[in-house]
Amino acid sequence: AIGIATDIYSLGMLLRTLLISGEGAKQPLNAELSGIVGKACADAPADRYITVAAFCDDLERYRRGLPIAATADTRWYRARKFIARHPFASAASVVAMTIIAVLIGYLAAALNDARRERALAVAAQQQAVESLQRAKSVIEFFAEMFMGVAPEHALGRKLAPSDLLDRAEKQLREHPPADSGLRADL
């Protein structure tokens, strides 16, 4: 049946002829132009452009670098068309995103280092507290050991250093400290 669909088919064949011969041969038939020609020249009239305006609109969109209706509309296709239309803005966004990613990575590494250093500082502080507690226990142990030398405890007896050591050894055997580090210090 003769109608708009046959006119669109004729226009599609005319476009194909122009593109593959004469002046049009300088511009090879790429996928998008093939898609436009294919849609205009589809076997089934229902698969063709609905109006001549829609056909012309697709050609104009192709000329301006916009996505066309005759091609599968995917995100990747739209992204490629956008990048082709805006190469400098796209490159600037990629650079900006890269800088942001590097800064986030640097910040994450710095935070990780700070956490590690804080954990090391806390561990060192805890170790220092434990060392002070052991030193205090050693001092208390020796203070108690030397209490036996005080005149009120010695009761006039003369004590030799070996007596002090024997007394300390006996006390350690009878009441050994639970902390192995403290036992070693004593």
Side-chain angles (χ1 to χ4, degrees), residues 109-124:
L111 286 173
N112 191 31
D113 287 347
R115 280 190 200 116
R116 190 174 333 130
E117 286 179 22
R118 187 173 191 293
L120 289 173
V122 166

Side-chain angles (χ1 to χ4, degrees), residues 81-111:
K81 296 304 281 184
F82 181 85
I83 290 169
R85 284 192 320 274
H86 306 287
F88 295 115
S90 299
S93 0
V94 167
V95 168
M97 298 283 267
T98 303
I99 289 171
I100 289 170
V102 166
L103 289 175
I104 289 172
Y106 176 76
L107 179 62
L111 286 173

Side-chain angles (χ1 to χ4, degrees), residues 11 32 34 44 46 48 51 55 59 62 69 76 84 91 103-104 116 130 134 142 146 153 162-163 178 180:
L11 287 172
E32 288 181 302
S34 291
R48 297 180 194 153
T51 63
F55 178 50
L59 287 171
Y62 169 77
W76 175 242
L103 289 175
I104 289 172
R116 190 174 333 130
E130 290 172 3
R134 273 203 316 255
F142 281 112
F146 282 113
H153 292 104
S162 62
D163 294 332
S180 62

Side-chain angles (χ1 to χ4, degrees), residues 17-183:
T17 304
L18 288 173
L19 289 172
I20 60 175
S21 66
E23 288 296 316
K26 293 177 185 173
Q27 180 179 2
L29 197 59
N30 64 27
E32 288 181 302
L33 284 174
S34 291
I36 292 172
V37 169
K39 185 168 175 83
C41 299
D43 290 336
D47 294 338
R48 297 180 194 153
Y49 288 99
I50 296 173
T51 63
V52 174
F55 178 50
C56 291
D57 182 52
D58 240 7
L59 287 171
E60 180 61 23
R61 291 180 68 76
Y62 169 77
R63 190 185 69 73
R64 291 179 39 213
L66 297 170
I68 60 171
T71 304
D73 190 21
T74 64
R75 288 183 187 168
W76 175 242
Y77 171 69
R78 286 188 170 277
R80 276 188 332 189
K81 296 304 281 184
F82 181 85
I83 290 169
R85 284 192 320 274
H86 306 287
F88 295 115
S90 299
S93 0
V94 167
V95 168
M97 298 283 267
T98 303
I99 289 171
I100 289 170
V102 166
L103 289 175
I104 289 172
Y106 176 76
L107 179 62
L111 286 173
N112 191 31
D113 287 347
R115 280 190 200 116
R116 190 174 333 130
E117 286 179 22
R118 187 173 191 293
L120 289 173
V122 166
Q125 183 180 16
Q126 188 176 11
Q127 191 176 24
V129 167
E130 290 172 3
S131 293
L132 283 174
Q133 288 173 342
R134 273 203 316 255
K136 181 181 173 193
S137 296
V138 168
I139 290 170
E140 287 173 357
F141 177 79
F142 281 112
E144 190 178 314
M145 186 176 73
F146 282 113
M147 286 293 260
V149 181
E152 62 269 12
H153 292 104
L155 301 172
R157 293 178 299 171
K158 191 170 183 173
L159 294 173
S162 62
D163 294 332
L164 289 174
L165 291 174
D166 291 341
R167 183 174 176 198
E169 183 181 7
K170 179 181 176 193
Q171 187 176 348
L172 283 173
R173 260 190 263 119
E174 290 175 2
H175 305 289
D179 182 8
S180 62
L182 178 57
R183 261 195 316 264

